[in-house]
Amino acid sequence: MSILRTRLVLSLALWCTWASFLLAWPTAQAFSVVPPYCRRLPPPYAQSKLFVSSDGDGGVTSNDLTHSDIEWRLRPPEGTRRIDRLKIKLGANILRLWSKLKGMELPPVLCPRGGRALLEAYYKEPGQRKKKIARFGFTTARGPSSPEIDKTIVETYNINPPPLSATIAAIIYMFVEPDYRGRNVGALALDVISTIQSVQVVDFTVLVADDNGSGGLVRWYEEHGYSKAPLLQKILGSPHKENGVAMISPVKSGAGFFDQCVIKWW
């Protein structure tokens, strides 16, 4: 009887494993591995300036955090059903296993096609447990260009890309817990998001900076490589700046970035 029970348990476990594989395989295939022939625009205008501090001068103060202090976690966007989160996680693990069996080298980070992502920052204070200190919503799909985007690129960066060739992605929101504001977390997040979007072969990041007209947030983004983009106000849903100021920045990536920055994806 015990042998029969053991066989039933093993059979059930194998069946569940196989069923999970079949359910998660489409999700694994949906991860966006950008083909090697799909390249971004040549970025002489996007010289990398990673690890910039909150004061914008490239140094860090004793109170500032660095990438070595933070564990970044790439997650499905808020509102994703629990079952879909489990399928994405299982799909990512299947993709890792499949690439290892095939001897393939995956990019350092991957995102499901056609959607959004949530970036979370975790930090461990001395003598305390690791906790989430910030979260950031952004898009991971390579959005199409438009004449307004082309004209903005020409006027802002003095380059003339082929018509409708530049691709964009967006930062939807940035939130840092009050106790950790002013400690460089936002600037580090801009680095990570820009690098992730660079891996996704995006050319420019856009956002709408809403500081209730004070100008402080707009200046902060300008210190970190963003420029005002008035031609994009309508495209980004703020034609009269009622939701903030449209801004744009070339994506940035630097050699060795993933050696200094830990991103756990899915």
Side-chain angles (χ1 to χ4, degrees):
M1 191 70 177
S2 60
I3 295 177
L4 180 60
R5 185 181 296 112
T6 301
R7 288 179 176 176
L8 287 173
V9 171
L10 288 176
S11 298
L12 181 60
L14 289 173
W15 185 88
C16 290
T17 301
W18 180 245
S20 299
F21 180 87
L22 291 178
L23 287 172
W25 180 244
T27 304
Q29 291 181 309
F31 276 83
S32 179
V33 181
V34 180
Y37 54 81
C38 190
R39 302 297 183 190
R40 291 190 296 117
L41 295 174
Y45 46 85
Q47 297 299 319
S48 177
K49 187 182 179 183
L50 300 174
F51 314 113
V52 65
S53 71
S54 57
D55 57 11
D57 62 6
V60 293
T61 67
S62 59
N63 196 42
D64 281 345
L65 299 178
T66 66
H67 283 295
S68 60
D69 298 315
I70 295 177
E71 177 185 283
W72 300 97
R73 299 181 187 179
L74 192 58
R75 297 287 186 254
E78 294 171 326
T80 303
R81 296 183 305 169
R82 184 177 182 83
I83 184 64
D84 292 330
R85 289 175 180 269
L86 292 174
K87 287 170 63 177
I88 290 174
K89 186 173 183 178
L90 185 57
N93 289 331
I94 289 175
L95 188 60
R96 291 187 181 100
L97 177 60
W98 184 261
S99 65
K100 185 174 293 185
L101 293 174
K102 291 291 186 178
M104 298 165 48
E105 184 177 351
L106 289 175
V109 63
L110 283 178
C111 302
R113 288 193 185 100
R116 301 179 178 182
L118 175 67
L119 181 68
E120 298 176 336
Y122 284 78
Y123 174 63
K124 185 179 183 301
E125 294 276 8
Q128 298 183 21
R129 298 179 62 182
K130 186 180 294 183
K131 62 180 178 180
K132 182 167 63 177
I133 63 172
R135 62 183 185 274
F136 312 91
F138 62 103
T139 64
T140 57
R142 302 172 67 241
S145 188
S146 69
E148 292 83 0
I149 292 173
D150 284 353
K151 189 172 181 180
T152 296
I153 294 170
V154 172
E155 294 180 354
T156 305
Y157 303 106
N158 196 30
I159 63 170
N160 192 14
L164 305 179
S165 63
T167 58
I168 63 169
I171 294 177
I172 303 171
Y173 70 87
M174 300 181 68
F175 176 81
V176 179
E177 294 291 345
D179 291 345
Y180 292 90
R181 294 174 186 173
R183 298 189 63 182
N184 204 38
V185 179
L188 296 176
L190 291 180
D191 290 345
V192 177
I193 293 172
S194 186
T195 300
I196 291 172
Q197 292 177 338
S198 176
V199 172
Q200 295 296 106
V201 198
V202 169
D203 298 308
F204 295 88
T205 302
V206 295
L207 56 82
V208 175
D210 184 9
D211 56 13
N212 296 319
S214 69
L217 185 58
V218 172
R219 287 192 297 272
W220 184 84
Y221 279 114
E222 287 177 330
E223 291 172 358
H224 292 86
Y226 281 78
S227 301
K228 295 177 183 178
L231 294 179
L232 304 184
Q233 289 289 158
K234 185 175 181 179
I235 293 177
L236 297 181
S238 183
H240 304 294
K241 299 184 180 181
E242 62 271 31
N243 296 316
V245 177
M247 306 191 77
I248 187 171
S249 173
V251 298
K252 305 176 180 67
S253 61
F257 179 83
F258 289 100
D259 295 332
Q260 305 178 57
C261 178
V262 177
I263 303 178
K264 294 186 175 181
W265 51 279
W266 318 102

